Amino acid sequence: MSRVLVIDDSPMLVELTVRALTAAGYQVSGAQDLTSLNQKLAEGPFALILMDVNMPEMFGDDVVEYLRSQKKVTSKLVLYSDISEAELAGKTKASGADGYILKSGGLEAVISGVMNLIGAPALGVPAAVPAPAPTEAPQAAPAAPAPIASTGLKAAPSTGGRKPRILIVDDSEMTARIIEADLVAKGFEVHVADTADKATKIILKKQTRPDLVLLDVRMPNVNGEQFCRFIKSNSLFKGIKVLLCSGENVEELQRICREAGADGYIPKDAVMGNLVAKELMPQGGE
C-alpha cells in the first residue's frame, strides 16, 4: 500500500506536497483540520501520515497521540515542520512519532523521507529523486540586489520555440491587466493570479509553468515574501526567476530579495509610470 495523507493548515503547502508525492507515484490525499482528517481516515487506511507540527487548531505531536490512542491508527506517523531540528527531534521522540522531516529540505526531502519509511510506490517505480544537498558552510552575505531597469522588461527572447512565460501575481486586477497587456505586446505569454492557490496551480503545471514570476509583495490574500521562498526553496522550480514588483520602499525590497532569494525587483511606480508615459507619447514622437 502506498497511500499517504498530508496534514497542514496551509492550502498551498498541502497542494505542493500532494502534487509532488503524486508525481512520485504515491496515492496522496490532503487535510487541513480535524474534520477533514477524520473524513480522510474514514476512506481507508494510509501507509504514512505526514503532519505539520504547528497548526492553529492542533499540534502535530498531539495528533500523533490522538491517532494512536483514539483512532487506533497503525500508519507510519511523521512530523513535518520548519522549527529547529533539535526541537523537532525532541517532539518526535516525546510523541512516539515514527520520524520527522524538515520543511527546509524542500519537496525532495519529503519524497526521500517517505520512500525511506514506506518504500517506493506499490504501483510502478517513480523516477529517481535526488537526495537533498548536504548543508554547506554559510557564505558571505551577497551585496544588495540592484533594481531591474525601471523601463520594464524588454521584448521576449527566444525560448526553445515557444514564447517565454511570465506569471503576474497581484491582487489588483487593474494593475495586473495593464502590465499583462504591455508584456503580451512585447511577445510574452502571460498568466495572472490573485491568490497563492491560483499561482501555485499555474506553476505546478508544465504547460503553464512560468520562466519568470512578477510578484507583488504586500497583498491581502498572498504573502509575497513567503511565496517567493517556496518557489526558491524547491528544486522543482529551480528554473523560475522571481522579480518583486511592489510599492514597497527600495530598502525593504532589497531586504526581501536577500532573505527570500528573489532575483531582483522593479518598483511598481516605475513600471506604471513607464506605461503611462508610453501611452501619452505622441505616435512617431521624437
Side-chain angles (χ1 to χ4, degrees), residues 178 181-182 185-186 271-283:
I178 290 173
D182 184 61
K186 286 183 169 69
V271 175
M272 299 307 293
N274 176 67
L275 295 178
V276 170
K278 185 177 70 174
E279 288 300 319
L280 293 175
M281 187 179 299
Q283 293 297 320

Side-chain angles (χ1 to χ4, degrees), residues 60-120:
D61 42 338
D62 291 337
V63 176
V64 170
E65 183 179 353
Y66 166 75
L67 293 176
R68 291 285 193 230
S69 61
Q70 300 296 320
K71 291 296 184 178
K72 309 301 181 185
V73 167
T74 58
S75 314
K76 294 284 187 182
L77 303 180
V78 181
L79 298 182
Y80 183 46
S81 182
D82 53 8
I83 61 177
S84 71
E85 184 168 7
E87 184 180 0
L88 186 55
K91 288 182 178 291
T92 300
K93 182 177 180 180
S95 66
D98 297 286
Y100 66 85
I101 297 174
L102 292 166
K103 286 186 177 180
S104 59
L107 294 176
E108 296 90 346
V110 174
I111 297 172
S112 297
V114 170
M115 283 186 176
N116 288 337
L117 284 164
I118 64 173

Side-chain angles (χ1 to χ4, degrees), residues 2 31 34-35 64 74 77 85 104 117 121 168 182 191 231 244 257 265-266 273 280:
S2 55
L34 279 175
T35 300
V64 170
T74 58
L77 303 180
E85 184 168 7
S104 59
L117 284 164
I168 301 170
D182 184 61
H191 298 267
I231 295 173
L244 307 179
C257 277
Y265 63 88
I266 307 174
L280 293 175

